[in-house]
Amino acid sequence: MNLEALCKEAGVKLYDTELTKENGKKIYRIFIYKDGGVNLDDCARLSEILSPIFDVEDPFDEEYFLEISSPGLERKLHTLDHFSKSIGEKVKISTKDNEKIQGEILAVKDSCIFLRTGQAQTISLEFHNIKKAKTFVEWKN
């Protein structure tokens, strides 16, 4: 099954997937995006496409709930493509050396991510040195 092609059929793009457990229930989350943002109709359309396929070609051998949503304003960044799509946004990064970095994503080139930190300093990080990354929004009163 080609999840990216099925998303395209629904008029959206695949951002990421995760299988998680919450309150004792397994949840298979599919995160989607499109220019202009994702709405409830986009999620419903993809669910209508996937549900009958998953009934025949179940992706897991155990019971789960299917959840389809946008990745949100504050979202995890797992791939270089995620960083590229987030240029201009603020990010919190934990490195494999347990360093905590906050900054704005300026560019992504090859496997290097360029950030402007709070001190208006430009730094670069190799993608393979990043343990966790997530965009964040500074809410102002």
Side-chain angles (χ1 to χ4, degrees), residues 2 11-12 22 25 34 39-40 47-49 52 57-58 69 72 77 80 85 96 103 107 118-119 132 135 140:
N2 184 338
V12 297
E22 292 179 6
K25 297 177 183 177
K34 72 175 187 180
N39 61 39
L40 191 55
S47 181
E48 289 168 2
I49 291 170
E57 275 184 62
D58 201 342
S69 70
L77 305 176
L80 280 168
K85 287 180 174 67
K96 291 183 179 175
Q119 299 84 22
K132 283 174 36 176
T135 60
K140 298 187 182 195

Side-chain angles (χ1 to χ4, degrees), residues 8-140:
K8 187 176 181 181
E9 184 180 325
V12 297
K13 296 175 186 167
L14 179 64
Y15 182 81
D16 207 356
T17 64
E18 76 176 1
L19 182 62
T20 189
K21 192 172 189 176
E22 292 179 6
N23 300 320
K25 297 177 183 177
K26 291 215 182 233
I27 301 170
Y28 180 39
R29 288 196 175 110
I30 299 174
F31 298 102
I32 58 174
Y33 71 99
K34 72 175 187 180
D35 293 338
V38 171
N39 61 39
L40 191 55
D41 291 336
D42 297 319
C43 297
R45 187 170 31 261
L46 182 59
S47 181
E48 289 168 2
I49 291 170
L50 293 179
S51 290
I53 293 170
F54 285 178
D55 287 344
V56 176
E57 275 184 62
D58 201 342
F60 307 105
D61 291 335
E62 51 197 307
E63 187 176 316
Y64 63 92
F65 292 91
L66 177 63
E67 185 178 289
I68 298 170
S69 70
S70 78
L73 287 176
E74 295 187 347
R75 62 196 172 283
K76 296 176 186 174
L77 305 176
H78 292 134
T79 67
L80 280 168
D81 190 47
H82 290 169
F83 280 91
S84 293
K85 287 180 174 67
S86 301
I87 290 173
E89 295 184 58
K90 295 188 182 214
V91 66
K92 292 180 182 179
I93 295 175
S94 297
T95 68
K96 291 183 179 175
D97 298 329
N98 291 322
E99 186 180 359
K100 307 280 189 218
I101 301 168
Q102 285 191 57
E104 178 186 340
I105 302 171
L106 298 175
V108 177
K109 185 173 181 185
D110 300 321
S111 64
C112 204
I113 293 130
F114 296 88
L115 304 169
R116 180 177 21 250
T117 64
Q119 299 84 22
Q121 174 185 9
T122 300
I123 63 169
S124 64
L125 289 171
E126 286 290 329
F127 178 71
H128 65 81
N129 287 329
I130 295 173
K131 183 165 70 174
K132 283 174 36 176
K134 183 177 183 175
T135 60
F136 73 96
V137 176
E138 279 187 320
W139 302 100
K140 298 187 182 195

